[in-house]
Amino acid sequence: MQKNAIVPYILIMAFGIGLIFFLSVQGVSNEAEIAEEQAAEEGGGETAAEGEEGGETAEGDFDPEATAQANCISCHGSSYEGGVGPSLVATELPQADIEDILVNGKGGMPAGLVDEANAAAMAEWVLSLE
């Protein structure tokens, strides 16, 4: 192959690498905007985004199951039967202990995943798992 025939391939490669770099930087700077658009597409704008992370419904009521889906399944598994964290199904812990763990954390579980005001409702939901 001739030396002159390689030049267009090098230019195309350089353009592709530059384009990938530009798009990655552009995506990082628009992270908040992209998250808002995804929340709006799921129906509900900012309240949907709050509901996903905080467990709040559109009416402002606490939704323990939504909170668990957003915060708990990564460690306790999609069926809450354990994974990195212990099983939540048919736990023998008393409600007060569960509330304390939800608010203050324990072992590898971080504190603050559930607000203290919602800890009782979340603990009741955990105790209802079968």
Side-chain angles (χ1 to χ4, degrees):
M1 197 179 245
Q2 294 180 3
K3 189 174 185 181
N4 292 338
I6 296 176
V7 173
Y9 295 111
I10 293 173
L11 290 175
I12 291 171
M13 245 173 70
F15 175 75
I17 291 171
L19 181 62
I20 290 170
F21 177 75
F22 171 77
L23 292 175
S24 66
V25 170
Q26 183 68 19
V28 169
S29 66
N30 290 337
E31 185 176 337
E33 183 180 327
I34 292 168
E36 287 177 17
E37 288 176 5
Q38 287 177 342
E41 287 175 5
E42 292 174 3
E46 292 182 24
T47 37
E50 290 170 9
E52 290 172 13
E53 292 185 19
E56 299 285 329
T57 63
E59 298 83 37
D61 297 329
F62 179 71
D63 184 357
E65 187 169 2
T67 299
Q69 289 289 318
N71 298 322
C72 304
I73 62 172
S74 60
C75 293
H76 296 283
S78 60
S79 60
Y80 311 109
E81 293 181 347
V84 175
S87 175
L88 301 178
V89 176
T91 183
E92 295 181 5
L93 291 173
Q95 182 168 340
D97 288 355
I98 296 172
E99 291 177 29
D100 181 62
I101 293 169
L102 290 169
V103 173
N104 300 311
K106 181 178 180 182
M109 182 169 161
L113 290 179
V114 177
D115 290 334
E116 193 168 353
N118 299 324
M122 188 72 185
E124 286 178 26
W125 180 83
V126 168
L127 289 170
S128 74
L129 295 173
E130 293 181 0

